[in-house]
Amino acid sequence: MNLASNALCFGDGLPATGAPCHVTVSADGLRMGPVKGSQLSEESVAFVGMSVTAGGLDHDQLVVSWGGGTSARTVYLKEPALIIAFRRAAPPTLLAHLERAAEQVRRARHSHRAWWGSAVGVVVGLGLLLWFGSDLIIEWAVARIPVQWEQTLGETVYQDFLSKETVLKEGPAVSAVQEMTQRMTAQIPNNPYTFRVSVVQSPVVNAFALPGGYVVVFTGLMKKAESGEEVAGVLSHELNHVLQRHGMERMVKMLGLAAVVSILSGDQQGLIGLARQLGLELATLKFGREQESEADVTGIRLLSDARIAPDGMIHFFERLSETDQARVELFSTHPMSADRAKRLNAELAALPKQTPEPFTFDWKTVQNSLPASEPKK
Amino acid sequence: MKCEILYPGAFPMVRVYLNEAETVKAESGAMVAASPTIDIESKMEGGFLGALSRKMLSGEKFFFQTLRASRGAGEVLLAPTVPGEIVLLDLDGVNEYMVQKDGFLAGAEGVKIESKMQSFTRGLLGGEGFFILKIGGSGQLILNSFGAIHKIELKPNEEYIVDNSHLVAWTSTTTYNIEKASSGWIASLTSGEGLVCRFRGPGVVYIQSRNPGSFGNWIRQFIPVSE
C-alpha cells in the first residue's frame, strides 16, 4: 500500500534530502510505512530507545532518532497533528526529552519575537527620543565634553566680559566673596573645576556663572544683601549650575546639532568658535525650570555642607521680590514663584540641623567698602 | 511536465515540455521562446497581497509568469538573468527548500511559493535579507545560481560553514547560525569573510561558486563615473 509521505527519514544509505515516508503513531511506537519510490521498507520502532529533540530551521519540527552506527535513523516530523499524537502516546521516559524539545521550541520562538520586538522597540524608541527626548540627547552629549574644553570656553567669554567692566582687584568685598567660595568648594567631592570669582562694579543686582567655573558677582547684589549668607546663597546656586553643567546644556541646545557634532568629532576649536558667536548671551542664559530647581536643591545642600546658614538665599529672594522685583535683574533669570519658595523651604526642612559657622568678615564693613555704584569709565 | 537543461555550464537554458493543459510558473521575464500552443499569463502567486508582500519584502518579482499549454502540448525555453548554472529539484510534498530571493527560476504548478520572515539575526547578518522564499508543494523546482552550483549533503548533526553571500537554497530540516569567520572581529573582517553561516544537518545546502555582491563591487571600478 502506498501512502502520501508526511515525514522525512535520514540515515546511511538514504538520500541527503531525506527519504519520504509515511509515519503513524501506535500505542507502543512509530510505524514507518514506505511511500512510492522510497528506499525504506516497512518498519515498526518502539518508543524504548528513541530520543527526541526539536529541529529544523525554525525549531518547529519534531526530530525522533533511534538506532546507532550504520542503522541510525532520524525522522523529521512536521505535521502538528502527528506531533500531538506522538506526545499523547509517548511513555513518561520520553516525556522528559519531549519537554526539553518543547522548551527549545518555545525558547527559539521567544528569542525570535524578542529580537523583532526589541528591533521595533529600538526604532520606535529612537523616534520618540528624537521627538521628545532632545534634552536627554543634550545631557548625553554634554557629559562627553571634557572639563578642560568647558574651561577654555568659559574663560574666553569671561575675559571678553571682564575687559569691558571695572573689576574689583582687592579689598574686603573681594576677600569676602573668596572666603564664601572657598568654604563651599572645599565641600564639593571630586570637584573637577577651579572656580574663579570676580566682583564687578555695577549697580546691577545679579550674579552669574559661566561654564567651566567662572563666576561674576555684581556690587549691586552685594549692596542689596543684608548678610554674607544671602550672597553665599546666590553664589551656591550659581556654582551648582556650573557643577551640573547647565550652561553647557543650554548652549548645546541653542547651538543645536552643529555643536553636538563638533563635540563628538572632537572639534574643540569649532565649539569655541560657536560659543564666541553667542558671546555674552552665554552669561545671561535662561535656564530651564528643571535646571533651576536642581541648582536650588543642590545649592542648599552645599550651603549646609559648608555650615553656612542655608536660608540666606530664600530670605534674600523673598525680601527683594516684595520690594523691587521689577528692578532687580536677578529675577529676570531667576523668577521667584510661590512654588519655588515652597520647594526651597521643604528642602531646607529636610536637611539635618547644623550649627552654622559665621564668616570671618563683618558684612557691614564689606558693604561700606564697596565703591559707589556707578563705575568710573 | 518534463525538464531538460540545455548547454549546461555558465549560460544554460531549460527546456520544459508541457502536456496539454499543464502549466509552469516562472520568474517574470524568464521565457526565452515557446511553442505556439503555449499561452503566457501573468499571475500574482498567493493573490495580490501575497505578491505584494513578496515584492516588497523579499525583492522577488511581483508577478510570476504562468505558461500554459492551452492549445496542445508544447515546449518552453527558460533562462535566468545572470550567468550561472541551473539545478532541477523534485519536491515530494514533504520536502521544503528555503531559497534566497534571486534563486527561483521556475516551478511546476504544484509548487507553492511563500515569503518567510527570517529571525532577526539571520535577516540582519545572513546576507539574504529579512525575507526569503519558502518553496514547498510537489513537482519540479528549477533554481538558478550565479556561477556554478554546488550541492553539500549533510548527515544528521554534520556541520558545514558557508560564506553567507554564496547561499542559494537549503532544506528546511537544516538549521544554521550566523557567526564570525574567525574568533576575533578584526580577523573576521580582514580575512575578507566577515560573517559566515554554520549549517547543521541533516539536509542539503546548495551554494553558488560566485558571490554576486563581490562581483558587483569588482565591476563597478570599470564603470565610468558620470558627472
Side-chain angles (χ1 to χ4, degrees), chain A residues 263 314 321 327 355 371:
Chain A
I263 292 161
I314 302 176
S321 60
R327 288 185 289 115
T355 326

Side-chain angles (χ1 to χ4, degrees), chain A residues 5-8 10 12 16-18 20 56-58 61 74 76 78 112 115-116 119, chain B residues 92 94-98 116 118-120 122 130 153 170 172-175 202-204:
Chain A
S5 55
N6 63 359
L8 288 170
F10 295 87
D12 274 11
T17 48
L57 189 66
D58 293 322
Q61 306 187 38
T74 304
Y76 274 67
K78 193 161 193 187
H112 189 116
W115 270 107
W116 277 105
Chain B
D92 49 28
V94 242
N95 242 324
E96 273 178 340
Y97 284 90
M98 304 296 159
K116 189 180 172 301
Q118 296 222 77
S119 77
F120 186 77
R122 283 176 183 161
F130 285 107
E153 298 190 343
W170 60 97
S172 69
T173 52
T174 318
T175 76
V204 171

Side-chain angles (χ1 to χ4, degrees), chain A residues 316-364:
Chain A
F316 187 56
F317 273 77
E318 278 175 350
R319 209 181 60 248
L320 288 189
S321 60
E322 280 162 17
T323 55
D324 38 14
Q325 182 152 14
R327 288 185 289 115
V328 175
E329 287 78 2
L330 192 60
F331 290 117
S332 72
T333 48
H334 296 81
M336 191 69 185
S337 64
D339 266 0
R340 190 172 174 202
K342 211 164 134 190
R343 263 203 321 275
L344 281 169
N345 280 315
E347 183 62 31
L348 204 57
L351 284 175
K353 288 277 168 275
Q354 289 207 346
T355 326
E357 280 174 23
F359 289 115
T360 55
F361 51 79
D362 172 58
W363 187 244
K364 282 287 160 225

Side-chain angles (χ1 to χ4, degrees), chain A residues 98-151:
Chain A
L98 265 176
E99 267 320 303
R100 203 154 57 221
E103 181 56 36
Q104 264 176 310
V105 175
R106 275 194 289 272
R107 221 179 300 149
R109 290 204 181 130
H110 187 256
S111 79
H112 189 116
R113 275 187 218 124
W115 270 107
W116 277 105
S118 48
V120 170
V122 164
V123 170
V124 170
L126 275 179
L128 289 176
L129 192 67
L130 287 175
W131 194 251
F132 298 109
S134 52
D135 284 355
L136 289 178
I137 296 175
I138 288 169
E139 267 178 46
W140 179 86
V142 165
R144 266 144 196 84
I145 302 177
V147 168
Q148 191 239 324
W149 288 20
E150 215 183 328
Q151 283 177 334

Side-chain angles (χ1 to χ4, degrees), chain A residues 231-249:
Chain A
V231 177
V234 175
L235 263 179
S236 174
H237 178 93
E238 292 300 329
L239 295 187
N240 276 288
H241 275 315
V242 172
L243 290 169
Q244 324 282 348
R245 307 187 117 180
H246 289 158
M248 289 306 278
E249 282 172 19

Side-chain angles (χ1 to χ4, degrees), chain B residues 2-7 13-17 75-78 88 142:
Chain B
K2 226 171 81 199
C3 299
E4 180 192 358
I5 297 176
L6 308 174
Y7 320 111
M13 227 170 18
V14 191
R15 182 169 16 214
V16 182
Y17 298 96
E75 64 173 43
V76 181
L77 297 179
L78 300 170
L88 300 179
I142 308 168

